[in-house]
Amino acid sequence: MTTPRHVAVGPITIGNDLPFVLISGPCQIESRDHALFMADALARAAAQAGVPFIFKSSFDKANRTSVSGKRGVGIDAGLAILAEVKAALGCPVLTDIHGPDQVEAAAQAVDILQIPAFLCRQTDLLVAAGRTGAVINVKKGQFLAPWDMAAVAQKVASTGNDRILLTERGASFGYNTLVSDMRALPVMAQTGYPVIFDATHSVQQPGGLGSASGGQRDYAPLLARSAVAAGVAAIFAEAHDDPDNAPSDGPVMLPLDWVGPMLERLKAIDAIAKA
């Protein structure tokens, strides 16, 4: 078996053989007040369950179904808000980057730079991100096999940065549909890098609403339980206080009141899986 690597981010250490971590927040930053509210509510839920917490939200959602899709507050305002969340709550923060020109500014404001799934093979982006020395979370493209992620991780590691996380978020399965193959989790774990399961994007239906993506959030907790039983390092699950009226990814984001009960169940499963 491959020896699990451990990645430290702030006060948290992430590893496939360690208690799981929650990565959560609204899909995009909607406002300063909303981001601070969501971060505080999620941090409280995670603390009550005894689960380490990383706040996630995107300053720009560049990959929208429609040109009219709302994208967020932009890089300058977004990074300032994320830095404020980190200072106010003391939790690590994560955000997406979409081009090499964004990596330096983002790395100064947040702890984890996330490479979106559709950009996971963009060598210049991966190398630029790796050179910052920040933790890099690469989402597996819906078009890749899990074993392909070893080569993706190597692009980041080529910079001397081995602070790498790999995220499974489902694979394309026909039109407007994704499927989660739990075999992907141990396959990706063979790299040694911590593996994250994205429970909410895995139930997305890309372009399923015509001008926007649909989804089936009711299945996200089920998939999260399955992934924790398989022994992942973290669960990624976007959440919102009013998901049905959110500007993006509403059909898949968890209502806030789902998070606490879900974490309690996941923690119990995690303890058995890693006993």
Side-chain angles (χ1 to χ4, degrees), residues 234-264:
I235 289 293
F236 182 112
E238 290 183 337
H240 200 280
D241 56 320
D242 186 13
D244 290 336
N245 292 299
S248 59
D249 273 0
V252 302
M253 283 195 286
L254 304 180
L256 263 177
D257 60 0
W258 288 21
V259 175
M262 182 185 77
L263 290 178
E264 295 287 353

Side-chain angles (χ1 to χ4, degrees), residues 182-194:
M182 292 298 156
R183 296 175 300 178
L185 303 174
V187 169
M188 290 165 63
Q190 290 174 11
T191 63
Y193 297 115

Side-chain angles (χ1 to χ4, degrees), residues 1 15 33-34 68 73 78 91 106 113 118 123 133 135 141 147 178 195 200-201 222 225 258 263 275:
M1 293 180 63
D33 289 347
H34 186 255
S68 62
V73 298
C91 63
L113 304 180
F118 283 122
T123 302
V135 177
W147 44 85
L178 300 173
V195 175
T200 47
H201 285 103
L222 168 65
R225 294 195 300 271
W258 288 21
L263 290 178

Side-chain angles (χ1 to χ4, degrees), residues 58-93:
S58 300
F59 59 78
D60 179 22
K61 299 301 294 184
N63 174 36
R64 298 293 84 196
T65 300
S66 167
V67 70
S68 62
K70 294 182 179 179
R71 292 180 50 167
V73 298
I75 187 168
D76 293 334
L79 292 180
I81 290 168
L82 290 167
E84 187 173 355
V85 168
K86 178 180 177 180
L89 296 179
C91 63
V93 293

Side-chain angles (χ1 to χ4, degrees), residues 15 24 41 46-47 51 60 66 75 97 124 126 132 142 155 165 173 207 218 222 229 240 247 272 274:
S24 187
V51 175
D60 179 22
S66 167
I75 187 168
I97 53 172
D124 291 347
L126 292 164
T132 67
Q142 301 91 323
K155 293 182 180 183
L165 312 172
F173 187 72
D218 287 351
L222 168 65
H240 200 280
I272 295 171
K274 294 172 181 170

